[in-house]
Amino acid sequence: MGPANVKRSLTKALGAEDVSMNYYELEPGESFAFGYHRHEGQEEVFYVLEGEATFETEDGEETASAGEAVRFAPGEWQQGWNRGEERVKALAIGAPQESGETDILRECPECGERTEQDIKRAEDADALVTLCVDCGAETGRFT
């Protein structure tokens, strides 16, 4: 369950102790993350294997095509998307393995702006939901 069609953790399979690694496949419109976010204590690098990924950052949008990488420092806000028409395949590499606190922002229709979010298992379905911390509104549902 999540925002990406395919997400596979490679960390344990590789026996990694100090780095986290995930393989992603994103269909058009899908994202690497539940929302615009930052990892308090983790540097993150995305390496695009196929397609083109677009990353929303504090400085605007950045794109990375096959064979290119994008780096985010600890505490830097970002969210990566497949805004194209072809599938995106990419690796996400984070160090250290533990990311520390992760802050997530999503557009809340009730509050009318981006707000902090919690992620919980839906009570009524086999899904994860994002909930506005301020008003409790559901802002996303991921199966």
Side-chain angles (χ1 to χ4, degrees):
M1 292 181 282
N5 183 291
V6 174
K7 178 185 177 185
R8 292 188 191 111
S9 175
L10 304 175
T11 307
K12 288 182 183 176
L14 294 170
E17 295 179 14
D18 297 320
V19 66
S20 174
M21 184 180 286
N22 293 301
Y23 169 81
Y24 287 90
E25 291 185 18
L26 305 180
E27 294 293 337
E30 291 184 336
S31 175
F32 292 102
F34 288 99
Y36 191 59
H37 69 286
R38 64 182 175 188
H39 302 287
E40 172 189 60
Q42 186 183 61
E43 177 177 27
E44 197 168 25
V45 174
F46 291 85
Y47 179 75
V48 179
L49 301 164
E50 289 182 20
E52 181 179 87
T54 301
F55 294 88
E56 179 185 356
T57 73
E58 293 174 89
D59 297 326
E61 287 192 352
E62 218 176 292
T63 60
S65 298
E68 296 179 330
V70 176
R71 175 195 174 266
F72 297 100
E76 193 172 354
W77 288 97
Q78 54 95 359
Q79 182 173 9
W81 294 89
N82 178 356
R83 298 248 192 251
E85 296 179 14
E86 303 296 322
R87 180 184 289 257
V88 168
K89 294 181 180 180
L91 295 174
I93 304 153
Q97 195 175 89
E98 295 300 318
S99 64
E101 189 71 27
T102 299
D103 298 313
I104 300 170
L105 300 177
R106 288 182 60 88
E107 196 68 34
C108 175
E110 298 296 320
C111 295
E113 62 185 345
R114 273 188 176 165
T115 60
E116 289 185 46
Q117 303 287 303
D118 280 332
I119 301 171
K120 306 241 188 242
R121 185 180 263 312
E123 294 177 15
D124 62 339
D126 193 21
L128 293 176
V129 293
T130 48
L131 302 169
C132 175
V133 170
D134 294 339
C135 72
E138 184 177 308
T139 61
R141 183 170 285 258
F142 306 90
T143 57

